[in-house]
Amino acid sequence: REDFISGNMRQTVVPERSLNVRPTHFFSFRVPQNSHFQNQIQTVYADIADYHASHAKLFVPTSKLHVTASVMVLANEQEALKVAEAARSVVLDTKLAPVSLLSRGLGHFKERVLFARISPDKDFGKFDRFVRKLRATLGDDPNLKVNFKGNPNDSYVPHVTLAKIRPQEQEAFGRTIPRNIWSQYQYEDFGEFEAPTLDLCEMKTDQATGYYKVVDSIPLAK
């Protein structure tokens, strides 16, 4: 896998505990509602839907837009609270303030997942250092024993997922999102947004907010 900053390649070794288990929780930096970034993405969605209406079903609702920091499998509420406290300690140790993230252009994972790139500008440096420490803490701390998805010490590609083809949608859409649908936005400037909290979420929709169910919301230091 290619490191986002250096471009160096590194081997990705996924721990055995991470295989064949569906994740239940994740830490996220939510895109604020009615932000310039969210409005820009909504415009892109509308433009694509005008010409490719069927593929609009693949869009992630703008109420769910976020940057994922880490993904894991947690067995119960007690595990979730323990993980949240560990993350709170990392926030305090790093003195992480609300981060401003800038997004330019689109990227993809094997053309199955389409995302808005996070540029290495604004507060990216401190954001990247925090996420690396958070992932290492959750994945390597023997006292937590977190079933962390993936390799916590691997390179990290910060992004906001915009569309994806899920396994149950492959019959209707195939395995890839056609480039002609999104290529015109490949170098688009989507602007910046500020993330004031780090949220531990369940992979369930909160019908009241349209986001995911938030187990704990950790404010970032002012």
Side-chain angles (χ1 to χ4, degrees), residues 86-127:
R88 195 180 303 274
S89 294
V90 177
V91 169
L92 292 174
D93 289 346
T94 57
K95 297 180 173 62
L96 184 68
V99 290
S100 292
L101 300 175
L102 184 65
S103 177
R104 291 196 184 100
L106 299 178
H108 62 85
F109 296 126
K110 298 182 179 180
E111 298 189 351
R112 187 183 67 83
V113 176
L114 182 68
F115 59 82
R117 295 180 177 275
I118 301 299
S119 300
D121 298 295
K122 303 296 288 184
D123 294 336
F124 180 84
K126 62 182 180 181
F127 167 80

Side-chain angles (χ1 to χ4, degrees), residues 64-82:
K64 286 189 170 182
L65 296 178
H66 66 277
V67 179
T68 299
S70 60
V71 180
M72 66 212 77
V73 180
L74 301 177
N76 50 49
E77 184 179 356
Q78 287 71 30
E79 280 195 8
L81 293 176
K82 186 186 295 186

Side-chain angles (χ1 to χ4, degrees), residues 35-45 188-191:
S35 61
H36 176 70
F37 174 86
Q38 187 192 54
N39 293 335
Q40 288 283 91
I41 297 303
Q42 187 60 61
T43 299
V44 171
Y45 284 179
E188 191 85 5
D189 188 342
F190 299 118

Side-chain angles (χ1 to χ4, degrees), residues 14-209:
V14 179
E16 184 177 351
R17 68 171 188 256
S18 180
L19 298 174
N20 302 320
V21 181
R22 290 182 64 83
T24 60
H25 293 72
F26 63 98
F27 276 109
S28 73
F29 294 90
R30 186 183 184 185
V31 173
Q33 301 301 285
N34 300 313
S35 61
H36 176 70
F37 174 86
Q38 187 192 54
N39 293 335
Q40 288 283 91
I41 297 303
Q42 187 60 61
T43 299
V44 171
Y45 284 179
D47 288 347
I48 292 176
D50 282 344
Y51 297 96
H52 308 278
S54 63
H55 283 80
K57 298 175 183 177
L58 304 178
F59 296 156
V60 175
T62 54
S63 62
K64 286 189 170 182
L65 296 178
H66 66 277
V67 179
T68 299
S70 60
V71 180
M72 66 212 77
V73 180
L74 301 177
N76 50 49
E77 184 179 356
Q78 287 71 30
E79 280 195 8
L81 293 176
K82 186 186 295 186
V83 165
E85 281 307 306
R88 195 180 303 274
S89 294
V90 177
V91 169
L92 292 174
D93 289 346
T94 57
K95 297 180 173 62
L96 184 68
V99 290
S100 292
L101 300 175
L102 184 65
S103 177
R104 291 196 184 100
L106 299 178
H108 62 85
F109 296 126
K110 298 182 179 180
E111 298 189 351
R112 187 183 67 83
V113 176
L114 182 68
F115 59 82
R117 295 180 177 275
I118 301 299
S119 300
D121 298 295
K122 303 296 288 184
D123 294 336
F124 180 84
K126 62 182 180 181
F127 167 80
D128 183 63
R129 288 190 295 273
F130 167 79
V131 172
R132 287 174 184 268
K133 183 169 183 178
L134 175 68
R135 289 163 61 86
T137 297
L138 298 179
D140 293 341
D141 189 335
N143 296 317
L144 287 177
K145 297 180 181 178
V146 174
N147 188 345
F148 189 91
K149 297 296 290 181
N151 188 331
N153 299 300
D154 201 356
S155 53
Y156 169 66
V157 181
H159 63 279
V160 179
T161 298
L162 303 181
K164 64 173 67 175
I165 297 178
R166 299 165 181 82
Q168 65 270 25
E169 296 168 328
Q170 289 182 5
E171 183 175 348
F173 296 100
R175 292 182 176 272
T176 61
I177 301 173
R179 282 179 176 261
N180 68 302
I181 289 178
W182 54 268
S183 60
Q184 69 188 94
Y185 307 102
Q186 190 168 359
Y187 304 107
E188 191 85 5
D189 188 342
F190 299 118
E192 65 182 270
F193 61 91
E194 183 177 273
T197 62
L198 173 69
D199 299 322
L200 175 61
C201 303
E202 282 189 56
M203 292 196 173
K204 298 178 181 178
T205 301
D206 184 332
Q207 298 300 330
T209 64

